[in-house]
Amino acid sequence: MIPSARDALSQPGIRALLLLITLVFVYSIYGFLYFYRDPLSIFFSETHGFDRFYSVTRQAEADEFIDNALANTDALQQQQGKAGAHPQICAVFITVGRDMEGRQYIDSAVGSFIANMSRAERETTHLKIFFADVPDPDKQHKSYAPLSEAGVADEVFSYPSTLPAQKKDSKIKELTEYAKDRQDKHALERKTVYDYAYALDRCVQTTDAPYIALLEGDILLADGWAARTLMNLRTVEDMMRDPRRRAPAPGTAKPGVSNTWLYLRLFNQERSTGWSGGTGFRSNNIPIIWAAVSPPLLLALLLARRQLPRHLARHLDRWTLAVVCGAAVPVFAWLFFASGKASVVGAARGVREEFFGCCNQALVYNRAHAGALAEHMARASERSAQPGRSDMLPKQFAWDRGLARVSAYPMLAQHAGRVSAIDTSSDEARRVWSMAFEDLRPWRLHRDHVADVRALFGDGAVEEMVREHF
C-alpha cells in the first residue's frame, strides 16, 4: 500500500529532508541575489557580475576634475599646487594610446589621482605621467598634448624626451619593433617590461621619495587614496621594525620573517584570493570535513536523544540522523566553499603580508629596492629568452631576495580598462576587476579621508581641504 502524503509527512526523516531542501533553496535565492559578483562563486553572473557601482561615482568626480583642470590650469595651481621638494611618494602613470572612442583612460586615471586631494597630500605626492608610445607619443596618444599643457602633473615624459642622446635613436627603434606586431605577445611583453623598468628608474633618478607608486593608465583611485596609502605605509614600516623579524633570507616567502619589503599592493582581484580548491564537491577537503564533523555530531545527537523526553526524542529517528549527518553536513560544507570566499568571508580591513595577488595595476614600491628591481627588469627585457611578465618579475625578484610583499585592504584602485593596450580581449580585460572596490561607499571614504588627513597633517590641513573642495 502506497503511504499518503500525510503519512509521509508524519515521518521525521521525511520532514528533515524537506527542511534541508527548503533551506538549500532559500540559500540559493540569497546567493543569486547577493553573491552574483563573486567570480569564484557558483552564483556568479556573467551578465551583472561586472556591474559598476562606486567606480561610476568616482569616474564622474575624476572626469569633472580633469575637465575643469584642462579648462583652467591657473585655478588648479592656486587650489592644490604641486609636489614639494621632498615628496613621500613618487607616483608615475604608465600609458599608451588606445584605439577607442571618446576619452582616453589616462584622463580619468589622473583625475581620480587628484580629485578631492588636499593641498598637504598633493605636496607629498610627486606625480609623473609616462607616455610610453614610440616613436612619437604626440601623434600616437590623444591625451599627450592636453595633459602636457595642463600642468596637472609634476612631470610629463616620454622616451623621446628623456632618453640620452647617444642611445635615443637606437632604443626607440628597438622599442618600436617590439610594439609593431600586436600579435607577437613576447615582443609586447619585452616592451612592457622595459616600460616598467624605465618608469621606476625615472622616479629613482629624479626624486628622493622613499616610496614609488607604479600605476597603470587605465585605473581609478578611490577618494582619499593618498592619505590612506601614507597611513598604510606607516603601518608597513612599523611591521618591519618588529624585533622578531630578521634580515631577509633568499627564497623565503613565510609571512612575518623578513624585516624589509618590496611593494604594497593597492589593487587585487577576487579571482586571486579565493579558495584554492575551487567549487567542486571533492575540493577544499570537503570529504575530510564531512568525515570529521559527522561522527561527533551523530554522537552528540544520539546522546541528546537519550536525554530528551520521548515526544521530542522521536523526531531524532535514524532517518533524521541520516539526513543531518549524511546529507546536510556535506551539502552545507560544499555550499560554504562554492559560494565564494569573497562572498562568505571577504577581506578584513588592514595591512598584512600576502604572497599572492594578481596584476600590477597599482603597486607602491620601497625605494630601498626599487633601483635594483628596475635594473633587473631592464635586463630581463633584453635577454634572448622570454623576458617574463611585468607583473611576475617583481614577485620573483621578491622571492629571490626574501622580501615581504604587503597588501592593504580595502583596495584603493580599480581596473577600468576594457580596451587593452596589448590586445588582450575585452572579455579578459574586464575580468581584471575588484568586486570590493565597487562596494566602497563615498560617504565613508570621505569620512576616512578627513580623519587620515587630520592624523597626518593636522586640523589646519583639514580646514583648508574642506574650504577648497566642499
Side-chain angles (χ1 to χ4, degrees), residues 397-410:
F397 180 90
W399 168 264
D400 290 342
R401 290 158 181 78
L403 307 177
R405 286 164 281 166
V406 188
S407 296
Y409 291 90

Side-chain angles (χ1 to χ4, degrees), residues 175-188:
L175 294 171
T176 302
E177 285 296 314
Y178 293 155
K180 181 172 63 176
D181 184 359
R182 310 302 295 179
Q183 302 304 314
D184 188 345
K185 299 300 183 183
H186 294 315
L188 286 175

Side-chain angles (χ1 to χ4, degrees), residues 299-313 316:
L299 179 61
L301 291 174
L302 289 172
L303 291 174
R305 187 172 67 176
R306 295 183 61 181
Q307 301 299 320
L308 290 172
R310 180 174 297 180
H311 71 282
L312 294 177
L316 292 177

Side-chain angles (χ1 to χ4, degrees), residues 157-201:
F157 69 100
S158 64
Y159 285 118
S161 69
T162 54
L163 279 170
Q166 64 272 22
K167 61 180 291 189
K168 179 187 298 186
D169 291 343
S170 61
K171 193 64 183 179
I172 289 178
K173 181 179 179 181
E174 176 187 335
L175 294 171
T176 302
E177 285 296 314
Y178 293 155
K180 181 172 63 176
D181 184 359
R182 310 302 295 179
Q183 302 304 314
D184 188 345
K185 299 300 183 183
H186 294 315
L188 286 175
E189 287 172 356
R190 200 175 295 279
K191 181 181 181 298
T192 301
V193 168
Y194 191 81
D195 291 345
Y196 275 78
Y198 197 79
L200 193 59
D201 185 65

Side-chain angles (χ1 to χ4, degrees), residues 167-350:
K167 61 180 291 189
K168 179 187 298 186
D169 291 343
S170 61
K171 193 64 183 179
I172 289 178
K173 181 179 179 181
E174 176 187 335
L175 294 171
T176 302
E177 285 296 314
Y178 293 155
K180 181 172 63 176
D181 184 359
R182 310 302 295 179
Q183 302 304 314
D184 188 345
K185 299 300 183 183
H186 294 315
L188 286 175
E189 287 172 356
R190 200 175 295 279
K191 181 181 181 298
T192 301
V193 168
Y194 191 81
D195 291 345
Y196 275 78
Y198 197 79
L200 193 59
D201 185 65
R202 186 70 183 172
C203 271
V204 172
Q205 298 300 326
T206 60
T207 75
D208 61 358
Y211 309 111
I212 298 172
L214 285 191
L215 309 171
E216 292 201 349
D218 60 352
I219 67 168
L220 292 171
L221 291 163
D223 181 19
W225 78 270
R228 174 44 39 186
T229 297
L230 288 169
M231 294 291 287
N232 289 337
L233 288 167
R234 284 187 176 183
T235 302
V236 174
E237 299 294 0
D238 289 341
M239 288 170 55
M240 296 300 118
R241 284 192 287 268
D242 188 323
R244 291 170 294 183
R245 292 177 177 269
R246 55 185 182 272
T252 299
K254 186 177 180 181
V257 173
S258 178
N259 63 3
T260 186
W261 57 283
L262 180 60
Y263 61 67
L264 172 69
R265 179 177 292 280
L266 305 186
F267 170 83
N268 206 351
Q269 59 174 3
E270 282 74 20
R271 289 194 301 175
S272 300
T273 59
W275 310 114
S276 60
T279 60
F281 183 79
R282 295 184 179 181
S283 305
N284 299 299
N285 298 315
I286 290 175
I288 297 176
I289 295 173
W290 183 11
V293 171
S294 289
L297 178 60
L298 176 61
L299 179 61
L301 291 174
L302 289 172
L303 291 174
R305 187 172 67 176
R306 295 183 61 181
Q307 301 299 320
L308 290 172
R310 180 174 297 180
H311 71 282
L312 294 177
R314 69 184 184 86
H315 294 292
L316 292 177
D317 65 2
R318 59 180 180 174
W319 294 111
T320 301
L321 296 177
V323 170
V324 172
C325 298
V329 170
V331 165
F332 284 125
W334 173 74
L335 278 175
F336 176 80
F337 290 104
S339 295
K341 185 177 181 180
S343 297
V344 297
V345 178
R349 293 175 66 94

Side-chain angles (χ1 to χ4, degrees), residues 337-359:
F337 290 104
S339 295
K341 185 177 181 180
S343 297
V344 297
V345 178
R349 293 175 66 94
V351 178
R352 52 187 174 273
E353 286 186 64
E354 282 186 345
F355 296 96
F356 52 83
C358 168
C359 315

